[in-house]
């Protein structure tokens, strides 16, 4: 089974990644920059987010992603910028992604609408020096010592939000130099915070993911919050997994998050699930400028 998996990865890569692996995150609501460039500056303070995702634990060669992002408003309250570095590992292949982001925000009273753009560089690297279990020792594909692939990409998005809800639509990979506009995901997300009595709140949210010639994928989630600081919830990802999430705001600046994806489908018994850890720090927070409830999004 391991040999088949590694061989499949090689085939995908050698055909110019025509069915590319796009990173999928479970904590997309509070880490919105990775799915929509228009999210930049949303919290009206500089924030730094570090995320680590290990997919299909126990499955050799399974995807592994580390993401580091920064976003902040500028002196002009309508202008916001961001930066993302992402490192993906899949089998013996790695991808390094650098992305710069700009978002312009328009205020309509309590409602804000942002237009975002991003552009950057993606480098795919194969490393045949790492050990692979081969089905055929003389396989021509595996005889190549390495293969590097560089490309540039650009994306865009819209993000509408208030203190109590948000809605976004984006194509983070609208264009790539090797693929043009082919096979790039369209992401639609939304959510709301429903305030209950005695500092209790619930948050329904969704993420719709569409790629041409692929099944439509939908995340449906519901989280519960107490005092806008501690949250616990679950989500259903169609045809793939059940997701369990925990969030905790240590203070007005530091937040932690954890999610566990329990697999469904034919691979469910082959691995131990997917874990995702998130650390987030806000700079320049002032109680007058921000309502802690906004940290829920």
């Amino acid at each position: 089974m391991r040999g088949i998996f590694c061989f499949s990865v090689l085939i995908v890569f050698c055909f110019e990644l025509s069915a590319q692996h796009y990173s999928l995150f479970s904590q997309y609501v509070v880490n919105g920059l990775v799915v929509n460039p228009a999210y930049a500056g949303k919290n009206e303070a500089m924030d730094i987010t570090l995320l680590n995702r290990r997919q299909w634990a126990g499955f050799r060669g399974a995807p592994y992603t580390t993401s580091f992002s920064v976003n902040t408003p500028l002196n002009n309250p309508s202008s916001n910028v961001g930066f993302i570095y992402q490192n993906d590992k899949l089998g013996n292949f790695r991808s390094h992604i650098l992305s710069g982001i700009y978002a312009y925000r328009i205020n309509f009273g309590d409602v804000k609408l942002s237009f975002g753009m991003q552009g950057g560089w993606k480098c795919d690297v194969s490393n045949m020096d790492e050990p692979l279990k081969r089905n055929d020792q003389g396989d021509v594909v595996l005889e190549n010592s390495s293969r590097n692939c560089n490309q540039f990409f650009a994306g865009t998005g819209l993000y509408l939000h208030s203190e109590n809800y948000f809605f976004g639509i984006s194509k983070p990979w609208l264009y790539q130099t090797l693929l043009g506009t082919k096979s790039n995901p369209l992401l639609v997300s939304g959510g709301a915070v429903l305030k209950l009595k005695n500092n209790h709140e619930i948050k329904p949210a969704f993420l719709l993911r569409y790629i041409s010639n692929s099944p439509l994928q939908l995340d449906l989630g519901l989280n519960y919050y107490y005092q806008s600081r501690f949250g616990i919830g679950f989500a259903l990802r169609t045809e793939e997994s059940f997701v369990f999430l925990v969030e905790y705001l240590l203070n007005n600046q530091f937040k932690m998050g954890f999610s566990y994806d329990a697999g469904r489908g034919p691979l469910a018994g082959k691995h131990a699930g997917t874990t995702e850890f998130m650390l987030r720090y806000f700079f320049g927070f002032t109680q007058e400028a921000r309502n802690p409830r906004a940290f829920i999004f």
Side-chain angles (χ1 to χ4, degrees), residues 201-215:
E201 297 166 328
I202 59 172
K203 179 189 68 181
F206 75 90
L207 174 67
L208 186 66
R209 185 171 184 262
Y210 172 73
I211 299 178
S212 179
N213 300 317
S214 297

Side-chain angles (χ1 to χ4, degrees), residues 7 25 33 55 139 169 185 189 193 204 212-213 236 287 290:
F7 180 74
F25 299 97
L33 198 67
Q55 191 168 338
D139 197 307
I169 182 168
S189 59
V193 175
S212 179
N213 300 317
L236 172 65
Q287 189 68 30
R290 293 286 320 282

Side-chain angles (χ1 to χ4, degrees), residues 173-186:
W173 299 79
L174 178 64
Y175 177 81
Q176 298 180 70
T177 52
L178 293 183
L179 294 177
T181 59
K182 181 181 178 181
S183 301
N184 297 322
L186 172 68

